[in-house]
Amino acid sequence: MKNAIEVKNLTKHYKTFSMESVSFSIPEGLVCGFIGQNGAGKTTTLRLILGMAHREGGEIAVLGRDAGDVSVKDDLGVLFEIPYFQDNWTPTDVEKALRPFYSRWDAAAYDRYLTLFSLDRRQKFKTLSRGMKMKLGIACALSHDAKLLLLDEPTSGLDPVVRDEILDLLREYVSQEGRTVFFSTHITSDLEKIADHITYIHRGKIEYCGGRDELIERYCAVRGGRDDLKKISRGRILGLREHIGGFEGMMSVNDLSGLPSGVITEPVNLEDIMVFIGRQEANA
Amino acid sequence: MKNKMMALDWRTVKSYWYSILLVFPLMIVFSSAFSLALVPLSVYFVMSFILNTFALEERNSLGKLYLTLPVRRRDIVAGRFRLSFLLIGAGITAGALLMLLTSMFSQSNAIDFRLDFAVFGLSASVLYSALLHVLTFPTLFWLGFQKGRLLGMVLPIIVCFGGLTYIMNSLGDYAAELLNANLWFLSVACAAAALILFTLSYVLSAKAYERREF
């Protein structure tokens, strides 16, 4: 399988945050979720991929080309938490502004998306609701035959109905051959609906990069009484929390053998994994 | 790509398009009292208008939009320079035409048209715009409008007017004599200096923007 994005030994230092030798790859043809807590390095990684920030070391290849090659951006659809358009632009102005830059801009597709999203061509950007602004951004990202969508928290702050509409669009987009979505979010429930692949970044380090189901199947939640906890090595439990009734935490499925009979194990979801690993760091 | 960026910058200042038309009535108002200053005035108004591209870019985070487009950073800088040259050219032309009209129709007949004086006026105006450019553009490309406006907008005013006052005071009565005797030479010198300053402004701006992070 070809990779849409390949990041090798990416390094970037800020005063309060560092990314040291980050490496991961995103396979082509999938919806790939990029998860992590706020400040984990998701947006920084996307900014480095897009050349908005300068990397201090490492290599980034996008669609088989060096990320610094501007022709790559003809094949990218990019959307941040809010689309960056001039406040007074109307959807018509947005089209006039962007169309000249893309070799495969499809005016009919743009028109179709505006109709689908009930966007008025004459309405100024500043008067649109947040959901409508995001839809306009998505219309632009999808109207130039992009091979890769880079989305940074696109559903953050949107109501469930709009979020669901956006996820449907992404599902439809990726169903066409050779299309990839790289989707940063901390709303893990969105990824459970559509993501095939997960990259998990924590404090500037990649903790996991692989199939979503493999990640979820790697761990399970455990809970039990105080007496049970005495019989388990605490180091095996991630994000251990003790309370009056007993304890709860997360364990690798490889460590489950020999658990006391009173301990209950349950499947985890992406949010549980993020919470328990985050708590593990805090406990340490 | 440079022309596309120029067009995008022009579209960015869409809400200010009408304000540039105000330059002409303003200049007509000024023309009766300051006909000799019409060209520098028009350059100043045009430069003020161009600064809107920096202000709006920052207010709407358009720098981030530009970097998602298939353009190089130096094309973004070059596009803004082209727009500014175009507008400065239009401003100087309009100022010169108004000055000519003023001299033709002024009842007091304040100005006797002289070709060497007109050419010197034009080249001095180009030098003036180049000086504003080199003091403003690299700073704003480097720091952005919010952080750079004090340095990029106040400094040029201090340097231009302070420097001019100092030169005129130093030369005293000799200034007019010197000007009159060497108008053609000074015109060429101004044009050459402007060319150097514009080149310097572009090189510094491109370097500053290349290093900037969004």
Side-chain angles (χ1 to χ4, degrees):
Chain A
M1 184 181 274
K2 277 165 55 180
N3 287 323
I5 303 174
E6 278 185 25
V7 174
K8 283 181 195 161
N9 303 319
L10 185 61
T11 303
K12 178 75 183 172
H13 297 100
Y14 290 105
K15 278 181 189 164
T16 54
F17 170 76
S18 284
M19 292 175 73
E20 199 73 59
S21 287
V22 166
S23 299
F24 66 92
S25 51
I26 300 301
E28 198 178 280
L30 303 177
V31 177
C32 303
F34 192 31
I35 60 171
Q37 290 169 274
N38 290 333
K42 301 188 296 292
T43 302
T44 301
T45 307
L46 288 173
R47 286 169 61 233
L48 289 165
I49 290 172
L50 288 164
M52 290 176 179
H54 301 297
R55 56 186 190 253
E56 288 157 20
E59 294 165 24
I60 304 173
V62 179
L63 301 170
R65 283 168 279 173
D66 183 86
D69 178 354
V70 290
S71 70
V72 168
K73 291 180 180 171
D74 199 23
D75 292 323
L76 295 186
V78 182
L79 185 60
F80 284 88
E81 214 168 329
I82 279 280
Y84 299 117
F85 298 138
Q86 219 272 43
D87 275 343
N88 287 307
W89 282 353
T90 62
T92 300
D93 291 324
V94 170
E95 185 182 21
K96 283 180 185 168
L98 301 187
R99 184 163 64 179
F101 292 94
Y102 292 106
S103 60
R104 300 187 302 280
W105 182 271
D106 184 346
Y110 183 71
D111 202 44
R112 207 167 50 243
Y113 285 118
L114 292 189
T115 309
L116 179 71
F117 297 144
S118 307
L119 281 160
D120 181 353
R121 272 191 172 272
R122 290 160 302 172
Q123 193 173 355
K124 286 185 177 175
F125 183 70
K126 65 182 173 190
T127 65
L128 296 174
S129 68
R130 192 172 139 65
M132 295 302 254
K133 283 179 179 173
M134 290 309 287
K135 286 176 175 178
L136 179 59
I138 286 181
C140 294
L142 296 178
S143 295
H144 62 272
D145 191 27
K147 303 280 182 277
L148 170 64
L149 291 189
L150 290 177
L151 312 173
D152 187 22
E153 309 271 6
T155 54
S156 164
L158 298 180
D159 70 60
V161 177
V162 178
R163 269 167 51 200
D164 200 54
E165 284 174 11
I166 290 174
L167 295 183
D168 274 344
L169 272 171
L170 297 181
R171 209 176 277 128
E172 186 191 317
Y173 167 82
V174 88
S175 67
Q176 297 163 70
E177 200 184 335
R179 304 287 180 90
T180 310
V181 177
F182 187 48
F183 179 2
S184 123
T185 185
H186 57 261
I187 306 174
T188 51
S189 57
D190 288 345
L191 296 178
E192 271 151 19
K193 288 180 188 164
I194 62 162
D196 314 286
H197 186 278
I198 298 291
T199 302
Y200 176 30
I201 189 167
H202 186 67
R203 296 193 177 180
K205 288 182 184 163
I206 300 295
E207 294 284 339
Y208 177 83
C209 185
R212 180 196 62 184
D213 294 340
E214 287 90 319
L215 175 61
I216 290 169
E217 286 162 11
R218 190 185 265 201
Y219 299 104
C220 66
V222 290
R223 56 191 167 89
R226 286 193 164 270
D227 292 340
D228 297 320
L229 185 58
K230 288 174 189 166
K231 297 171 193 166
I232 310 170
S233 160
R234 285 170 176 255
R236 289 160 64 191
I237 306 172
L238 295 166
L240 174 66
R241 177 186 280 170
E242 292 180 66
H243 47 79
I244 295 172
F247 77 97
E248 62 171 16
M250 183 175 76
M251 289 177 77
S252 164
V253 288
N254 299 327
D255 290 338
L256 289 181
S257 59
L259 284 182
S261 57
V263 174
I264 296 165
T265 62
E266 289 169 338
V268 288
N269 56 29
L270 291 171
E271 188 171 321
D272 294 330
I273 294 171
M274 276 176 65
V275 168
F276 284 120
I277 290 180
R279 199 189 287 165
Q280 172 73 10
E281 291 276 336
N283 289 348
Chain B
M1 282 300 169
K2 295 173 184 74
N3 285 340
K4 289 175 186 175
M5 277 313 303
M6 182 179 76
L8 181 55
D9 270 342
W10 180 241
R11 189 160 294 284
T12 299
V13 290
K14 183 188 170 190
S15 46
Y16 293 87
W17 283 354
Y18 299 110
S19 72
I20 201 162
L21 297 175
L22 288 175
V23 171
F24 299 104
L26 266 175
M27 282 175 15
I28 290 168
V29 170
F30 279 114
S31 64
S32 54
F34 308 108
S35 57
L36 281 174
L38 273 177
V39 177
L41 264 176
S42 66
V43 168
Y44 184 77
F45 287 137
V46 164
M47 282 297 290
S48 309
F49 176 83
I50 292 164
L51 294 181
N52 288 321
T53 55
F54 290 96
L56 290 172
E57 178 191 335
E58 188 144 312
R59 193 193 302 162
N60 300 287
S61 299
L62 295 177
K64 289 182 180 172
L65 171 71
Y66 298 161
L67 292 177
T68 66
L69 300 172
V71 288
R72 293 172 302 176
R73 286 184 184 230
R74 82 179 83 129
D75 292 335
I76 298 169
V77 175
R80 191 151 312 161
F81 268 73
R82 283 190 185 192
L83 178 65
S84 113
F85 289 156
L86 208 67
L87 290 173
I88 287 171
I92 288 176
T93 310
L97 282 174
L98 268 178
M99 198 167 77
L100 201 63
L101 286 172
T102 309
S103 69
M104 285 168 71
F105 296 106
S106 169
Q107 287 184 346
S108 61
N109 201 17
I111 304 168
D112 289 326
F113 182 77
R114 273 175 55 189
L115 183 65
D116 57 351
F117 200 80
V119 170
F120 173 71
L122 287 179
S123 59
S125 298
V126 174
L127 176 61
Y128 168 59
S129 64
L131 197 59
L132 286 178
H133 233 269
V134 79
L135 292 168
T136 309
F137 271 48
T139 312
L140 295 180
F141 272 116
W142 172 39
L143 295 172
F145 189 76
Q146 284 299 327
K147 286 184 193 165
R149 66 179 167 181
L150 190 68
L151 196 63
M153 291 166 76
V154 175
L155 186 69
I157 292 170
I158 294 170
V159 170
C160 287
F161 291 102
L164 194 64
T165 309
Y166 176 76
I167 291 168
M168 296 307 275
N169 284 343
S170 305
L171 292 173
D173 295 339
Y174 187 55
E177 202 180 311
L178 190 74
L179 271 174
N180 266 323
N182 301 287
L183 270 180
W184 285 109
F185 170 76
L186 285 172
S187 301
V188 174
C190 284
L195 186 68
I196 292 167
L197 288 178
F198 276 130
T199 309
L200 184 66
S201 177
Y202 175 73
V203 171
L204 292 176
S205 298
K207 273 191 189 278
Y209 202 65
E210 202 65 50
R211 288 182 186 175
R212 199 161 152 204
E213 298 205 336
F214 292 88

